[in-house]
């Protein structure tokens, strides 16, 4: 349980990606309010009446998918729900990250707590127990086609509820049987529709989308900062970041990035020294950062807006509206997020692509005072030449991963599910691309810091000067060749730990200047 006084009420409060991550990390308390419990119970009662009336309703007293016309007797409805968890647990591949699985639990709990799924209170209470006690089910990464929801991964997620499967608990992966022995828990007896309610939905896709927008947001923020460092290192022009230019083409993302970079460069002796330079304009990778980084920010915002609708939606099937109305529809279909994830995958790749171009630019030796390959004594030394090979390899790999998963559809369930989203694949792929971008940005950070060094004794503005000092605490200036893989690993840790963002926020707080780094905001106005 989080020590903070903040409490999130499932089924009532609006869930965001930031709140979901806060719950997953134990920073926010959770509960079901009495009014939510009342709604949940009413929906559960409605399902019991359907069973008693014996009128066929999909998934309650019929089979699933192509077996939807097969009537299930009243005595077999509970067996049906256990069987669906077992039969649909067909996932393969490495287990997903523990935090992703925990996010799935959080998202599913919120959707079921809306009171349209016929779930029992005891089942929701068990979900809360797993979240609060960090007993996180083991979920394979492959097996979902993104409709009818994320069936396979959600089935694995809830196997422990019926005494099966495995969990990660107290730092170890153990069987559910061992978990029950340690905690005194027993298997739940799922009622009519409960198994189906647990596995129908987009929580695998949505959990990946949460991680995508969180990690990409950090990449976008740090790409602007590193890009500004590269402008200084190569003595680029600040004019492409003037408000007067971007007011003539007022895309929010472009304006946001231009303002950030201009503010990062403010007060720089290096830029002042460049005022009378004879160069007319810079290559696109420097000059067009607002347009390129800004477009990726727009894609990020699009996914964020769609995701927040999804996080507060009911993606179950059938949906129990009331005693008289139960609808078997398609709210489980992952297409709304699948297409946006493919868009964001491309947006992330482009951040890595332009970063690689800036790395290459820094090696050319065309900026006065900065030697070719960023090292004075080349010939015997290769300098930073081969670091760009790695960024090029990563950028190329990302381009191959940008083919949209949602463009594909393979019919399943004997044709009953004849169009699927493949959003689960898109989510996994987007995270892989972002992981590669983090590595590319790490290489650009090292490269920019090396170029930065040749501008001494001139100083940068307060932000970039502080960042350069932090980088040098971990990676020293390279006078000669060394095993640069070690430097790159340190750079990756700096990116993943959001070191640059933390420095910006610390300086900004001291100087009372905002640079728009808060994850909770869309595009901060400053």
């Amino acid at each position: 349980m989080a020590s903070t006084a903040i409490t999130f009420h499932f089924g009532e409060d609006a869930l965001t990606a930031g709140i979901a991550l806060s719950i997953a990390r134990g920073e926010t308390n959770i509960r079901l309010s009495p009014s939510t419990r009342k709604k949940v119970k009413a929906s559960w009662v409605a399902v019991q009446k359907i069973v008693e009336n014996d009128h066929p309703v999909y998934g309650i007293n019929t089979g699933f998918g192509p077996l939807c016309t097969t009537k299930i007797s009243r005595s077999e409805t509970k067996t049906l729900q256990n069987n669906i968890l077992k039969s649909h647990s067909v996932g393969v591949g490495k287990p997903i990250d523990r935090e992703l699985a925990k996010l799935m639990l959080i998202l599913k709990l919120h959707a079921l707590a809306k009171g349209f799924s016929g779930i029992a209170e005891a089942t929701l209470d068990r979900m809360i127990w797993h979240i609060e006690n960090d007993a996180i089910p083991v979920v394979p990464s492959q097996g979902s086609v993104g409709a009818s929801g994320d069936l396979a991964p959600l089935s694995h997620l809830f196997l422990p509820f019926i005494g099966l499967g495995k969990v990660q608990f107290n730092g170890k992966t153990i069987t559910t049987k061992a978990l029950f022995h340690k905690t005194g828990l027993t298997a739940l007896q799922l009622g009519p529709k409960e198994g189906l309610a647990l596995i129908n939905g987009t929580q695998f896709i949505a959990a990946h989308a949460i991680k995508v927008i969180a990690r990409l947001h950090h990449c976008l923020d740090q790409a602007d900062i590193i890009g500004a460092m590269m402008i200084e290192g190569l003595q680029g022009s600040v004019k492409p970041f003037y408000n007067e230019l971007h007011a003539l083409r007022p895309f929010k993302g472009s304006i946001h990035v231009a303002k950030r970079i201009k503010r990062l460069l403010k007060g720089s002796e290096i830029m002042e020294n460049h005022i009378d330079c004879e160069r007319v304009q810079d290559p696109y990778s420097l000059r067009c950062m607002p347009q390129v980084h800004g477009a990726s920010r727009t894609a990020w915002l699009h996914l964020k807006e769609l995701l927040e609708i999804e996080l507060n939606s009911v993606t179950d099937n059938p949906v129990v509206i009331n005693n008289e109305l139960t609808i078997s529809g398609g709210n489980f279909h992952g297409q709304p997020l699948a297409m946006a994830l493919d868009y964001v995958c491309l947006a992330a790749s482009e951040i890595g692509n332009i970063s690689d171009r800036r790395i290459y630019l820094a090696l050319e030796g065309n900026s006065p005072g900065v030697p070719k390959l960023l090292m004075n004594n080349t010939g015997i030394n290769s300098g930073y030449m081969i670091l760009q090979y790695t960024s090029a390899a990563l950028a190329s790999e990302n381009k191959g991963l940008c083919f949209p998963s949602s463009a594909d559809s393979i019919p399943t369930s004997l044709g009953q599910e004849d169009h699927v989203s493949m959003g689960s694949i898109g989510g996994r792929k987007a995270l892989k691309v972002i992981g590669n971008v983090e590595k590319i940005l790490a290489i650009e950070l090292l490269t920019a810091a090396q170029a930065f060094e040749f501008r001494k004794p001139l100083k940068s503005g307060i932000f970039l000067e502080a960042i350069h000092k932090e980088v040098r605490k971990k990676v020293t200036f390279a006078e000669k060749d060394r095993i640069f893989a070690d430097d790159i690993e340190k750079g990756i840790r700096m990116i993943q730990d959001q070191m640059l963002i933390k420095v910006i926020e610390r300086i900004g707080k001291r100087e009372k200047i905002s640079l728009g780094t808060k994850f909770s905001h869309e595009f901060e106005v400053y």
Side-chain angles (χ1 to χ4, degrees), residues 225 227 337:
I225 298 164
L337 290 188

Side-chain angles (χ1 to χ4, degrees), residues 320-335:
V320 183
I321 304 297
N322 52 46
N323 291 345
E324 288 75 37
L325 181 60
T326 301
I327 301 174
S328 183
N331 276 11
F332 51 72
H333 203 294
Q335 195 78 349

Side-chain angles (χ1 to χ4, degrees), residues 76 81 116 127 160 186 222 262 296 339 346 384 403 521:
E76 293 176 321
Q81 303 307 313
F116 295 95
M127 293 173 73
T186 56
Q222 293 180 105
K262 189 166 181 284
S296 291
M339 294 181 72
L346 174 62
Y384 273 60
F403 183 85
H521 290 75

Side-chain angles (χ1 to χ4, degrees), residues 10-150:
F10 282 103
E12 291 183 8
D13 295 342
L15 187 61
T16 65
I19 292 171
L21 284 167
S22 177
I23 296 169
R25 292 164 185 174
E27 299 163 356
T28 296
N29 295 322
I30 58 175
R31 72 185 294 257
L32 292 176
S33 70
S35 59
T36 294
R37 290 183 179 277
K38 186 177 179 181
K39 285 191 299 182
V40 167
K41 188 171 183 179
S43 181
W44 178 83
V45 168
V47 169
Q48 309 314 305
K49 289 181 178 179
I50 290 169
V51 175
E52 290 171 10
N53 293 338
D54 215 29
H55 181 72
V57 175
Y58 173 73
I60 296 177
N61 50 19
T62 75
F64 308 111
L67 302 174
C68 59
T69 57
T70 303
K71 191 75 183 299
I72 305 297
S73 70
R74 191 180 306 180
S75 61
E76 293 176 321
T77 54
K78 290 182 180 180
T79 303
L80 176 69
Q81 303 307 313
N82 274 25
N83 282 351
I84 192 175
L85 289 184
K86 290 186 281 189
S87 67
H88 286 52
S89 293
V90 293
V92 296
K94 292 182 180 179
I96 61 173
D97 179 77
R98 181 184 159 280
E99 187 170 77
L100 273 171
K102 192 171 184 180
L103 284 168
M104 288 176 68
L105 277 172
I106 292 163
L107 305 190
K108 175 56 79 173
L109 175 56
H110 189 51
L112 295 177
K114 296 286 183 180
F116 295 95
S117 299
I119 203 82
E121 284 183 74
T123 307
L124 298 189
D125 287 333
R126 180 62 61 88
M127 293 173 73
I128 291 173
W129 185 92
H130 275 272
I131 293 166
E132 291 185 334
N133 289 277
D134 266 332
I136 309 304
V138 174
V139 178
S141 57
Q142 296 171 291
S144 172
V145 295
S148 155
D150 295 309

